[in-house]
Amino acid sequence: MIKDELQRLEESDLVNYSNRGTLKRATKELAEGLSVECHEFASGITFVWSDGVTCEFPSDQPLMAASCTCKATRECRHIVRSILHLKASAEPLSEAEGPWNPGELSDDVLIAAVGGQVFNRAQDALVNGMVAELFHGQRPEATLLTLGRTVRFSLPDKLEYAQCDCSTPRCFHIPLAAMMFRFSEALDYALVTNDRETPLSAEEASPLFNALEDLGLKATHGLGALDSVALDRLSARAQSLRGLGFVRHSELLETLRDLISKFQGQDARFDPMELALCMGEFQLRVDALLADKIPIPRAFVRGLHIEETFGQRRLIGLGCRAHLRTKTIVLESILVDQENGQLQSISQTFDWVIDPETTLSLFNLARRSSWAGRTIASISSGQIVTTHRGRVHEHALGVDQHHLSVYGQSLSWEALPARVRTSRVSQIRARLLNKAPGPLGLNALQENFLVLETDSIRNLEFDARNQVLVFEALDTEGQCIRVEHPYTSLGAESFEQTMNVLGRNAQRVRFIAGLISARSGSLFLQPTGIVWETEENERRLLMPWIEMPQAQDTLESKAKPDSKTNQVESLLRWLGDGILAGTLDPRTQAEFAKTLKGTGLETASRWMESELSLEDWRVVFRLAAILTLYSSSSEA
């Protein structure tokens, strides 16, 4: 019966149907004492409210098919209010719900729920290869990573209540998500694929071997000396690899080409460490595809083919983070594509010495005009409408190649794609425990970044020993995650302002966007943006790295950089410089060999003690792979 089905819906189902703000407003209106008449028919159930609206729920139809006489163009609060009233007034259901598996639904059940045409489209998508992230339980959830869509199943055996973030009733994503559960034997979380999971044969891997050998031979003469014809051939090889399904390898070659072009153009944004990391990741991904067994789907290693977006796109700013490097400062705006949940970034690189008469601070740098008057601060806190044709390498959006318009945003992060948003710390924990090792995942930003919906924060304090701001964020189920933001002298003013704002508004923090990590069994979140509400219920975005400062006494920084991390970064830059120049400086190599002893990088230390030469480019590339693996794990 439709009445029993509506009664089984939980608060999380209603939030997923609308958003938490709509749920709170509906709850408030219900508490104000509105009267309602409820009428049950064979065709459904109707609620007639005293404020003049009528809501109808047809039998055997999805929740999205419910209608209201109000003028709301999307899911309205009156429908949510009607369900809340029904749950509060009806007798409790005797049967308790438990975990269930959508994969156990037969094809006949799927066809009956969505129709034969939609089911056939789902089967066609499955034949083309699919990778999905699955959360088992009472409310199973599937994120179709290949398509960038998330489906949540609410009631057992009732696909009409399944909801997809594409907002289309009975879409093909729903039966496709149910089919993906058939490939999982896990009880809680799984990364699954129906794609091939066997090692590449020598013949299949030959395009990758050829690419490595070609790069190795060119490196002996210096990649920095490549002419335009050679660079065009590198791009052509990248396109060829993409056509063979080696998407991530193709992106790495394109990134390598861009880095070489920056070097040749004496671009201040060029960093030889990035070139070495690029070569190292390429080698790691080749080795992984040849291995007999790896802990993640091989589609992750090859890279997922996401449909290219043409025309206008809307990107939502999720804050900013800073990278303080040896010679440069990089400010990076984090953005999410409102359509498919793809995370991207726009970064700006600054020299440590910009203007001797200007106080150097992250706050000031973020507000320096760039890209036709746009700044990192405005991009990080706004929404961007851009016209884009072509691919985006890694997760970086090349704004200098696209038309860019920046507007303010409403901070309605409840409407963000489900792929990057969660209200449960338990999902974060499951995802981290099963993430791809090192740099073998989709990309570091997509795997490690998310937006957590919070109820409040607590235990805000400054950890003087570690020079970090720490507090605990509570999710909507009462579970907590530790949030940390480091103190830096360049960000001292913003750091103080962040402490002041959070200290006064701990109960009004609604969302925290940032990078997730796990250390010693505990979860950590490094924030880029924090959404909080004023007493007048106006939302504000707090960006800890670049927040608008007020006149405050600054703290004295006692934090010291990780010497081992600095050694690895310096060694990667040395490798990158050598690959560009075609020769490795032996004196610098001897110094590195001494400093690496006793650091845990024994293999790298042994290789550095021998006379490395680009003539033996295979060893050089594997050294880059080892350092890339370490660099990735230290960042996490």
Side-chain angles (χ1 to χ4, degrees):
M1 294 177 59
I2 181 66
K3 183 176 180 180
D4 292 342
E5 294 167 3
L6 293 176
Q7 194 176 347
R8 285 193 177 96
L9 295 177
E10 296 181 346
E11 179 179 298
S12 58
D13 298 315
L14 299 180
V15 170
N16 197 51
Y17 164 74
S18 54
N19 57 63
R20 191 161 296 277
T22 298
L23 176 62
K24 288 182 177 179
R25 187 174 179 185
T27 302
K28 181 180 178 181
E29 289 181 350
L30 193 61
E32 291 174 350
L34 291 174
S35 61
V36 60
E37 295 180 7
C38 181
H39 305 283
E40 293 187 56
F41 306 97
S43 58
I45 186 170
T46 301
F47 295 85
V48 182
W49 290 90
S50 58
D51 59 354
V53 297
T54 299
C55 300
E56 296 184 357
F57 297 82
S59 297
D60 301 323
Q61 292 291 321
L63 183 58
M64 299 290 290
S67 62
C68 180
T69 56
C70 74
K71 296 180 180 181
T73 56
R74 298 187 63 182
E75 301 76 21
C76 75
R77 69 183 188 278
H78 306 113
I79 289 183
V80 176
R81 189 173 72 188
S82 299
I83 298 174
L84 291 174
H85 168 76
L86 179 63
K87 290 175 64 66
S89 59
E91 294 183 4
L93 297 173
S94 57
E95 298 181 3
E97 294 184 20
W100 66 286
N101 186 355
E104 296 176 354
L105 300 176
S106 67
D107 287 352
D108 291 338
V109 171
L110 298 181
I111 293 173
V114 300
Q117 186 174 0
V118 174
F119 176 80
N120 290 337
R121 185 179 177 188
Q123 281 195 317
D124 291 341
L126 192 66
V127 169
N128 293 330
M130 191 65 52
V131 180
E133 180 183 53
L134 307 179
F135 291 96
H136 293 257
Q138 186 175 331
R139 294 291 188 269
E141 184 177 305
T143 296
L144 305 172
L145 297 173
T146 312
L147 302 177
R149 292 299 179 192
T150 297
V151 177
R152 192 169 188 265
F153 298 91
S154 296
L155 302 182
D157 304 329
K158 294 290 182 180
L159 279 192
E160 57 266 28
Y161 286 92
Q163 299 175 37
C164 178
D165 61 1
C166 75
S167 301
T168 302
R170 295 183 174 181
C171 65
F172 80 97
H173 304 118
I174 292 176
L176 180 57
M179 293 177 191
M180 292 308 296
F181 273 94
R182 298 173 182 176
F183 297 95
S184 171
E185 298 179 356
L187 299 177
D188 48 9
Y189 174 92
L191 272 175
V192 299
T193 180
N194 67 323
D195 210 350
R196 163 187 166 172
E197 286 298 301
T198 55
L200 294 180
S201 66
E203 181 179 356
E204 292 170 325
S206 60
L208 299 175
F209 293 148
N210 293 338
L212 277 173
E213 185 171 5
D214 183 50
L215 289 173
L217 294 175
K218 285 183 170 62
T220 60
H221 302 288
L223 293 184
L226 295 183
D227 57 21
S228 59
V229 175
L231 291 178
D232 289 343
R233 288 175 180 168
L234 190 61
S235 293
R237 187 181 291 276
Q239 295 299 318
S240 175
L241 289 180
R242 177 176 286 270
L244 294 171
F246 301 114
V247 177
R248 182 59 186 147
H249 299 82
S250 170
E251 292 174 348
L252 288 169
L253 290 188
E254 290 284 11
T255 302
L256 184 63
R257 185 196 190 284
D258 292 344
L259 288 171
I260 296 172
S261 296
K262 286 181 180 179
F263 169 77
Q264 293 176 341
Q266 298 183 346
D267 193 321
R269 295 172 296 175
F270 172 75
D271 188 340
M273 182 178 73
E274 295 181 13
L275 186 140
L277 288 171
C278 185
M279 299 297 301
E281 183 179 338
F282 194 102
Q283 180 69 63
L284 282 171
R285 288 179 181 268
V286 172
D287 292 343
L289 290 177
L290 295 172
D292 291 333
K293 188 176 182 180
I294 56 176
I296 58 172
R298 293 178 189 270
F300 267 39
V301 182
R302 291 194 302 272
L304 298 182
H305 174 72
I306 305 296
E307 291 296 326
E308 296 179 38
T309 303
F310 295 91
Q312 197 174 79
R313 309 165 62 201
R314 190 161 73 98
L315 307 174
I316 306 299
L318 301 177
C320 175
R321 63 174 174 170
H323 307 271
L324 307 183
R325 297 175 176 170
T326 305
K327 298 180 180 180
T328 58
I329 303 164
V330 180
L331 294 181
E332 182 181 20
S333 296
I334 310 299
L335 307 133
V336 61
D337 192 313
Q338 183 68 21
E339 174 64 22
N340 58 25
Q342 285 286 311
L343 287 165
Q344 295 173 4
S345 67
I346 294 176
S347 62
Q348 181 75 353
T349 302
F350 305 90
D351 292 328
W352 276 94
V353 179
I354 298 177
D355 183 351
E357 299 181 358
T358 302
T359 302
L360 187 62
S361 71
L362 299 180
F363 163 75
N364 289 327
L365 292 179
R367 285 156 181 82
R368 293 175 71 94
S369 179
S370 56
W371 306 305
R374 281 75 176 183
T375 67
I376 283 290
S378 63
I379 292 172
S380 302
S381 60
Q383 61 175 319
I384 296 173
V385 176
T386 178
T387 302
H388 171 64
R389 292 184 65 87
R391 299 185 179 93
V392 176
H393 305 321
E394 181 68 12
H395 52 74
L397 182 67
V399 295
D400 55 334
Q401 301 175 14
H402 315 302
H403 176 69
L404 181 72
S405 299
V406 181
Y407 307 94
Q409 61 165 303
S410 63
L411 298 176
S412 299
W413 285 8
E414 300 92 340
L416 291 176
R419 182 177 181 182
V420 298
R421 173 179 51 84
T422 183
S423 60
R424 292 186 287 171
V425 171
S426 58
Q427 282 194 345
I428 301 175
R429 181 174 290 106
R431 184 174 294 162
L432 277 179
L433 289 174
N434 295 273
K435 67 174 292 187
L440 293 182
L442 299 179
N443 65 58
L445 188 62
Q446 195 73 51
E447 289 198 330
N448 299 329
F449 192 95
L450 58 75
V451 177
L452 174 66
E453 185 173 357
T454 60
D455 180 70
S456 61
I457 67 171
R458 67 187 184 190
N459 300 332
L460 176 73
E461 64 178 359
F462 174 65
D463 182 348
R465 179 180 179 182
N466 297 306
Q467 294 283 291
V468 293
L469 170 67
V470 297
F471 59 89
E472 292 179 337
L474 298 175
D475 70 5
T476 55
E477 296 178 341
Q479 298 187 52
C480 69
I481 185 172
R482 182 181 172 92
V483 184
E484 292 185 349
H485 175 63
Y487 173 81
T488 62
S489 57
L490 291 183
E493 295 171 308
S494 300
F495 186 97
E496 287 285 347
Q497 179 64 4
T498 298
M499 282 195 69
N500 293 332
V501 171
L502 294 180
R504 295 192 302 266
N505 302 281
Q507 301 301 314
R508 292 193 288 271
V509 174
R510 298 294 170 252
F511 296 91
I512 303 177
L515 292 157
I516 55 174
S517 60
R519 298 196 302 271
S520 302
S522 299
L523 299 178
F524 294 86
L525 180 60
Q526 296 178 330
T528 59
I530 301 173
V531 173
W532 61 283
E533 292 179 345
T534 66
E535 294 181 354
E536 294 77 27
N537 293 324
E538 295 180 358
R539 289 190 172 180
R540 306 281 175 84
L541 177 60
L542 179 71
M543 295 183 288
W545 284 105
I546 60 170
E547 186 57 29
M548 175 93 62
Q550 293 182 353
Q552 301 287 341
D553 294 331
T554 60
L555 303 170
E556 181 181 356
S557 176
K558 299 179 181 178
K560 295 183 179 179
D562 183 346
S563 59
K564 183 178 176 182
T565 299
N566 283 347
Q567 289 172 1
V568 170
E569 290 183 357
S570 298
L571 183 50
L572 281 165
R573 289 191 176 92
W574 174 76
L575 278 177
D577 283 332
I579 292 172
L580 285 168
T583 181
L584 298 172
D585 181 8
R587 289 176 299 179
T588 307
Q589 177 182 335
E591 294 174 2
F592 278 127
K594 294 179 181 178
T595 59
L596 283 178
K597 286 185 177 180
T599 61
L601 296 169
E602 284 79 8
T603 302
S605 178
R606 288 197 303 271
W607 284 346
M608 293 298 291
E609 289 176 348
S610 62
E611 292 186 6
L612 276 182
S613 168
L614 285 170
E615 295 293 334
D616 193 2
W617 54 265
R618 292 176 179 82
V619 174
V620 174
F621 286 3
R622 291 200 178 279
L623 176 59
I626 290 175
L627 297 174
T628 299
L629 195 59
Y630 173 80
S631 176
S632 174
S633 63
S634 63
E635 288 180 1

